[in-house]
Amino acid sequence: MVGADLRATAVPLRRLFAVSSVLFLLVLAISPAKNAFRPYRSLQRQYRKLASSRAHSLKAAQGYEARPVAIQQIWLRDFENRVDRCTTCHLGVADPLMAGAPRPFDLHPGTPHTPGGFDRFGCTSCHGGQGLATTQADAHGSTADAGPPMTPPVFIEAGCGRCHLSESVAGAPVLSRGRTLIARAGCYACHAVRGQDTFRSEAPPLATVPLKTGGEWVKRWLKDPKSIDPNATMPNFHLTDQAIDELSHFLFAVQVPKELAGRIEAAAAEPAGSSANGKKLVSESRCITCHTVEGKGKGTAPELSKIASTASRGWLLAFLREPQAFNPRTPMPRYHFSEAESRDIVAFLEEEFRDFDAPKGILEPLRVNQSLAENGRKLFRLYGCFSCHDPAGSASEKFGPELDGIGDKRAQSLDFGRRTDLARTLPAWLAAKLESPRSFADGLKMPSYGFNADDSRAVTTALLALGAQSVPDRYRYAPPQKPALLPGGPVGGLIQSYRCLSCHQIGDRGADVSTAPLTFEGSKVKRDWLVDYLMLSYTLRPILEERMPVLRMPRDDATQLADALQNFYVDPSLHEDPFAGRPASDADPAEGQRLYVGLGCRGCHILGSSGGYYGPPLTEAGKRLKPGWTYAWLKGPQRWRADVRCPDYGLSDTDALRLTAYLETLRPAASSAKPESAARGVR
Amino acid sequence: MSAARISMADWLRGSAVYRSIVRHGTADTNRNRSLVIFENLFLHVHPVKVREKTLRFSHTYWLGGVTLVSCLVLIATGILLMFYYHPSVPQAYRDMKELNYVVDNGLFLRNLHRWAAHLMVFAAFLHMLRVFYHRAYRPPRQFNWVVGIVLLIVTLFLSYTGYLLPWDQLAFWGVSVGTNMAKEAPLVGEKIRFLLLGGNVVSENALLRFYVLHCVVLPVALLLFLSVHIWRIRKDGGVQGPPTDADDPRQEEAE
């Protein structure tokens, strides 16, 4: 009976089995079929056709035709065995024949690392994305499970910043600008970033507020610092009126240190000075190298046109005499004005640089209410004010989240909160965070820095450069010059007091404002000239807004500094005397003069009464420059800095020596070129 | 010609190699059939005779068979996957991507392994339920029920140890949670967790341990118990037939 059952069901069962077997076979064929029709295969065949049609010779064309269809890859052993398969589709990146070809076959644009560096750097170390992948969506990172997506082209300089760690990177203006903005905004005060542990904000300590300014001014400042001073680095915290009130009471409840209070009160009691002389002193001292006056000037220091409605007379006078006593981290140098001269300057500021629209009592001190001040103290902590204004407190623990590795953060792990309008990408999030930090949710504390679209693009680029993926040490590029030690003792004190590092670089320390880094200054300029220059500096490059301020250095200080520069800050690889002991006149300065004319040096340098304004004038070159330095410069002007504009003419040794000899003969009119004096200069 | 062929066939049949493989001739007698089965390692887990009733294509589709077939698929795909996989950090996750992007049919291979694993666990559970509801755990099958339970546990362990191997977030947290649950066991909890992970956190050591368990220890255990299981099925009769006819009157009625 059972057997009959089985036989009866056998026929439909067999049919079912047959059909399902065929279906199963078809399903099994899907995977090999997908394999055979992978997009890169047809792209490689297209490339073969395109490249062989562009080839210059039959043999080259046949070479292209014979290329097998296969996955291409660049193996980067140094980058943890990373593998970049981008060249599987981007086949022509290193082939000059493919210039102007359609994507993805076109030649890579020329950069310092291409086409020579593909084997060393691959693609993803600059562009990001997923090198392992062999389909466009996965490689470019637009699928959810792929790694961090490619860096969008507008932020491409972030790739440079993964290895190039200095603030200013030649050829990457957006990145450099972003890094400068970050340092200036003081982001590192709240956010930890590797290598920036020693960062301290330049914001003033608040201990002298009650004697410096008034309650009304503080309230206006807290409301929106940039409305009072467009150069303000302090961001807008969007405080409520009540919070502003409480914070103001807290600031006026501070006990002013006795010593400083004494100085301010004594200065306030001094008689008024001469405003006319003050005006002359202000313009001579080149304050606008850092400050602005009604928007004119560099703008890294406060706007001066309303300064007398910001700070009291006593405070201004005491600060001008020794700025570093009030803020140990101020970039402002100490000028050696006499007591009377400083009174004159402040008299001028009081008369001219005043906010005439301000209410009368703007500098009236606030009558402190202790309970409001206590709330203010809590707010001071809540908003992390101490990070900038009392950095000792923030050195151990940062107020904001760490920024290291943010450049490789996945968009899925970011909190977009209310910002449903944004593309769900890291760059979009960062840009929005920078432009309106509080728009994501309630209760956020990050203030607004007033970044415009360009600024936020630059800062985003710099942030995207803070990758999480490791870069081998020997690929990390910091400027080749070793950080020079800053001397201690009296010379170190002078460098501190005159704030040389506010503008000049020494090694990798100091701000990149001046075109003359001091790292090798001792090899560059002659001592006697330097002493004179320090005592009364004059304009070397009239085209620049930033010029050396007139610090009125006493002769002792100037001699001491010049000697230190001559002894410490020398380039050891430089030959002091290119003329090998013979007088400069032996090296044919007349021929050098012909070279000077022939090369068109006149286009940029002033000599006598004619010439261009781009480079420094050479009228006194023989008095100012050491011939060893001049010779090395002529052999390669970019020896010390890659961004020097002076062209490298590829001069032969003889020609460079002739030109050096000629420049060595250039003296100010009083002691005009004599062979003996030139020879003395060499010694 | 014909005589030469016959003699060649005779020579072949007489050769030592042929006789060592085919030992009992092709005689179609019950005795010979029995001898063929008894004396062959690969066939002796099969009974000499199988009741037609136990081969019937029933509503539960031979759930044990489905489990067995998915197990065979897992062994085949697993061996292929082992050619591409390194149990090290971060190479393990990178190998997942290599399977996806570079290995021919690699994604198919990996998915086949994954889905077959899901199917095996699912089918093994259904198989157990069916055995339970058919009261097939009663004598004379009580021993095979216990073996079956052991097999189910080994299967679950295989499934769990395989979970960590891709070394992605899912794996990491899955194993973190799982081993933390083990930690909650009284007295020995901490020790069990330490033993499983080879440390106190889910790390490279855990990956290596799970890999060895997944590819060596547990498969060997599975194959051992599986052999016993199948052998007993043939001894005791499968799930299909009731232990005694009197035990299950409904089964009789249905037929």
Side-chain angles (χ1 to χ4, degrees):
Chain A
M1 210 176 132
V2 172
D5 269 5
L6 267 180
R7 272 187 292 280
T9 54
V11 176
L13 209 60
R14 270 187 203 158
R15 271 192 202 141
L16 187 70
F17 186 68
V19 171
S20 60
S21 298
V22 171
L23 283 178
F24 188 57
L25 203 67
L26 285 178
V27 170
L28 279 185
I30 291 175
S31 177
K34 272 171 84 175
N35 217 45
F37 294 110
R38 288 212 215 175
Y40 79 81
R41 291 180 194 265
S42 67
L43 278 176
Q44 291 202 348
R45 282 190 284 269
Q46 279 176 42
Y47 174 75
R48 279 203 303 224
K49 217 177 285 173
L50 183 69
S52 64
S53 73
R54 285 175 164 237
H56 296 310
S57 69
L58 187 62
K59 205 173 162 196
Q62 282 167 345
Y64 282 116
E65 289 286 356
R67 281 200 188 178
V69 171
I71 290 175
Q72 309 287 319
Q73 66 182 24
I74 302 171
W75 179 18
L76 304 170
R77 290 172 194 239
D78 289 343
F79 287 82
E80 294 180 337
N81 276 320
R82 189 187 295 183
V83 167
D84 281 353
R85 304 206 167 103
C86 315
T87 45
T88 300
C89 298
H90 295 277
L91 290 147
V93 282
D95 188 348
L97 208 58
M98 301 308 280
R103 283 277 158 86
F105 305 132
D106 50 337
L107 177 70
H108 192 283
T111 72
H113 296 314
T114 52
F118 283 118
D119 289 341
R120 283 179 64 214
F121 301 103
C123 309
T124 54
S125 32
C126 299
H127 288 277
Q130 207 180 185
L132 288 173
T134 49
T135 61
Q136 187 189 1
D138 286 336
H140 294 193
S142 45
T143 54
D145 58 341
M150 278 179 70
T151 313
V154 282
F155 305 113
I156 192 63
E157 287 174 17
C160 313
R162 301 258 166 146
C163 297
H164 294 264
L165 304 176
S166 55
E167 183 174 312
S168 150
V169 178
V174 179
L175 174 71
S176 308
R177 176 143 178 270
R179 285 187 170 162
T180 308
L181 282 168
I182 285 180
R184 181 154 155 67
C187 305
Y188 303 132
C190 288
H191 298 283
V193 171
R194 206 175 339 149
Q196 301 291 347
D197 320 326
T198 54
F199 178 87
R200 296 287 178 272
S201 169
E202 288 168 3
L206 300 171
T208 58
V209 166
L211 291 178
K212 175 184 177 184
T213 186
E216 179 58 25
W217 185 90
V218 168
K219 284 177 189 172
R220 289 179 171 212
W221 175 263
L222 288 173
K223 187 86 189 160
D224 182 10
K226 282 212 163 48
S227 72
I228 292 189
D229 181 352
N231 302 339
T233 44
M234 175 153 158
N236 186 346
F237 281 82
H238 304 290
L239 299 164
T240 62
D241 286 344
Q242 193 200 341
I244 288 174
D245 204 34
E246 289 169 345
L247 274 170
S248 315
H249 280 272
F250 167 64
L251 292 175
F252 277 86
V254 169
Q255 195 66 43
V256 183
K258 272 212 175 62
E259 204 263 90
L260 293 178
R263 285 197 207 188
I264 296 169
E265 278 153 10
E270 286 178 28
S274 140
S275 157
N277 190 38
K279 182 173 185 172
K280 196 176 120 249
L281 285 167
V282 164
S283 71
E284 269 177 16
S285 306
R286 297 219 50 87
C287 305
I288 62 161
T289 287
C290 300
H291 293 276
T292 53
V293 176
E294 281 168 351
K296 284 196 212 74
K298 185 168 162 63
T300 53
E303 162 77 35
L304 291 180
S305 58
K306 294 174 186 171
I307 194 73
S309 302
T310 291
S312 66
R313 175 167 176 271
W315 187 91
L316 280 174
L317 207 44
F319 181 82
L320 187 62
R321 286 175 181 160
E322 197 186 349
Q324 288 122 39
F326 289 80
N327 178 3
R329 294 174 305 278
T330 180
M332 171 124 168
R334 181 178 176 186
Y335 288 77
H336 281 270
F337 298 118
S338 69
E339 300 253 306
E341 278 171 337
S342 48
R343 277 199 294 273
D344 294 348
I345 289 174
V346 174
F348 170 67
L349 298 178
E350 290 273 303
E351 193 176 300
E352 291 287 328
F353 292 168
R354 178 180 285 282
D355 183 0
F356 295 101
D357 302 329
K360 247 194 148 28
I362 192 165
L363 292 184
E364 285 296 309
L366 197 69
R367 212 182 272 271
V368 177
N369 172 328
Q370 280 305 330
S371 78
L372 286 177
E374 191 46 43
N375 289 344
R377 177 194 305 282
K378 285 176 193 145
L379 286 173
F380 192 76
R381 286 210 65 78
L382 181 73
Y383 284 101
C385 309
F386 58 87
S387 296
C388 290
H389 289 290
D390 178 19
S394 77
S396 52
E397 190 190 349
K398 294 287 185 185
F399 183 72
E402 186 180 324
L403 290 181
D404 257 333
I406 194 158
D408 283 331
K409 206 156 184 176
R410 306 281 292 269
Q412 294 98 306
S413 59
L414 297 169
D415 185 1
F416 281 81
R418 276 202 296 262
R419 295 299 298 266
T420 46
D421 57 313
L422 294 176
R424 300 263 147 173
T425 63
L426 175 65
W429 188 88
L430 286 174
K433 186 80 188 167
L434 291 166
E435 280 174 50
S436 44
R438 307 251 180 105
S439 61
F440 292 80
D442 292 326
L444 297 178
K445 292 173 193 160
M446 180 161 152
S448 310
Y449 286 82
F451 288 137
N452 60 30
D454 266 358
D455 293 343
S456 74
R457 183 165 72 102
V459 175
T460 303
T461 303
L463 291 177
L464 288 173
L466 298 171
Q469 287 166 332
S470 70
V471 173
D473 279 345
R474 61 198 186 86
Y475 285 80
R476 286 175 182 274
Y477 180 84
Q481 38 188 265
K482 290 272 171 288
L485 276 173
L486 292 184
V491 175
L494 288 176
I495 290 178
Q496 279 292 320
S497 155
Y498 292 112
R499 287 292 193 263
C500 305
L501 295 178
S502 292
C503 297
H504 295 276
Q505 286 184 320
I506 296 182
D508 61 357
R509 306 266 304 268
D512 188 15
V513 174
S514 165
T515 53
L518 299 182
T519 316
F520 302 129
E521 187 71 1
S523 297
K524 179 179 174 182
V525 298
K526 294 179 177 165
R527 178 187 174 278
D528 295 346
W529 176 86
L530 188 56
V531 173
D532 291 348
Y533 183 75
L534 288 174
M535 286 171 64
L536 187 63
S537 40
Y538 58 94
T539 296
L540 277 173
R541 289 172 185 264
I543 200 173
L544 297 178
E545 201 147 69
E546 304 90 17
R547 302 182 203 161
M548 178 89 169
V550 182
L551 296 163
R552 295 170 183 264
M553 220 181 264
R555 177 170 282 280
D556 279 356
D557 286 4
T559 323
Q560 211 166 3
L561 260 182
D563 284 340
L565 287 170
Q566 290 289 319
N567 288 318
F568 290 131
Y569 298 117
V570 289
D571 185 345
S573 62
L574 216 58
H575 289 295
E576 278 274 302
D577 180 9
F579 306 116
R582 291 205 298 278
S585 52
D586 283 9
D588 200 356
E591 183 57 32
Q593 185 168 17
R594 270 190 292 281
L595 276 167
Y596 185 91
V597 174
L599 294 173
C601 304
R602 252 161 52 89
C604 294
H605 296 280
I606 296 176
L607 183 55
S609 57
S610 69
Y613 282 89
Y614 194 84
L618 295 175
T619 315
E620 295 188 5
K623 187 181 170 205
R624 185 166 79 96
L625 298 170
K626 292 192 169 175
W629 189 90
T630 310
Y631 177 75
W633 175 279
L634 290 169
K635 288 294 288 177
Q638 284 76 28
R639 175 187 173 115
W640 292 282
R641 274 185 77 129
D643 57 352
V644 162
R645 298 286 175 83
C646 183
D648 183 353
Y649 290 102
L651 293 175
S652 70
D653 292 357
T654 335
D655 281 352
L657 200 64
R658 285 168 176 164
L659 203 43
T660 308
Y662 171 61
L663 293 172
E664 184 59 18
T665 61
L666 298 173
R667 303 281 158 142
S671 60
S672 85
K674 284 183 212 146
E676 311 89 83
S677 73
R680 200 172 60 233
V682 169
R683 191 192 67 227
Chain B
M1 189 72 185
S2 157
R5 202 166 63 211
I6 289 166
S7 70
M8 209 160 123
D10 284 346
W11 173 81
L12 193 68
R13 287 201 195 98
S15 69
V17 174
Y18 184 86
R19 284 179 64 79
S20 67
I21 298 169
V22 183
R23 294 183 178 218
H24 298 286
T26 51
D28 195 9
T29 65
N30 275 351
R31 182 180 176 279
N32 202 42
R33 284 175 187 155
S34 305
L35 280 173
V36 168
I37 300 291
F38 288 151
E39 301 210 350
N40 187 308
L41 175 72
F42 300 105
L43 295 180
H44 80 276
V45 290
H46 284 271
V48 181
K49 290 180 180 175
V50 178
R51 286 190 213 164
E52 203 173 0
K53 199 167 89 175
T54 63
L55 291 175
R56 198 174 52 183
F57 199 70
S58 73
H59 294 98
T60 46
Y61 296 105
W62 289 353
L63 285 166
V66 171
T67 315
L68 177 66
V69 169
S70 44
C71 175
L72 296 177
V73 170
L74 282 167
I75 291 172
T77 53
I79 287 172
L80 290 177
L81 284 174
M82 279 169 78
F83 285 124
Y84 297 108
Y85 180 79
H86 306 77
S88 68
V89 178
Q91 186 68 32
Y93 182 63
R94 191 168 147 171
D95 288 333
M96 298 301 113
K97 298 205 157 177
E98 296 286 4
L99 280 167
N100 189 352
Y101 297 133
V102 177
V103 178
D104 275 347
N105 299 306
L107 191 62
F108 181 61
L109 185 65
R110 196 181 151 212
N111 284 346
L112 210 55
H113 195 76
R114 189 179 183 98
W115 287 108
H118 287 318
L119 179 66
M120 183 176 167
V121 172
F122 188 65
F125 263 108
L126 289 181
H127 178 52
M128 187 202 75
L129 290 175
R130 178 184 149 77
V131 168
F132 185 76
Y133 288 126
H134 274 215
R135 289 184 286 186
Y137 52 85
R138 289 187 176 186
R141 300 195 184 91
Q142 79 277 40
F143 179 67
N144 217 13
W145 165 259
V146 175
V147 174
I149 294 295
V150 172
L151 277 173
L152 183 69
I153 291 170
V154 172
T155 306
L156 290 178
F157 268 120
L158 271 165
S159 174
Y160 182 62
T161 50
Y163 207 69
L164 181 66
L165 302 189
W167 200 248
D168 53 8
Q169 287 289 316
L170 191 66
F172 182 87
W173 293 108
V175 171
S176 296
V177 170
T179 50
N180 279 339
M181 283 159 78
K183 194 178 74 178
E184 295 306 315
L187 300 174
V188 289
E190 292 275 1
K191 290 255 185 302
I192 290 176
R193 184 169 188 267
F194 190 87
L195 197 69
L196 276 173
L197 294 181
N200 292 313
V201 287
V202 181
S203 67
E204 207 160 12
N205 293 351
L207 184 62
L208 190 61
R209 282 192 183 204
F210 276 49
Y211 177 73
V212 172
L213 285 175
H214 188 77
C215 300
V216 183
V217 179
L218 292 171
V220 166
L222 186 82
L223 284 179
L224 272 176
F225 283 97
L226 192 61
S227 313
V228 175
H229 197 63
I230 289 172
W231 188 73
R232 283 246 55 110
I233 290 168
R234 297 312 184 193
K235 284 275 178 194
D236 306 337
V239 187
Q240 203 72 31
T244 60
D245 289 349
D247 272 336
D248 196 347
R250 277 180 305 145
Q251 187 83 7
E252 284 300 289
E253 277 169 27
E255 284 168 25

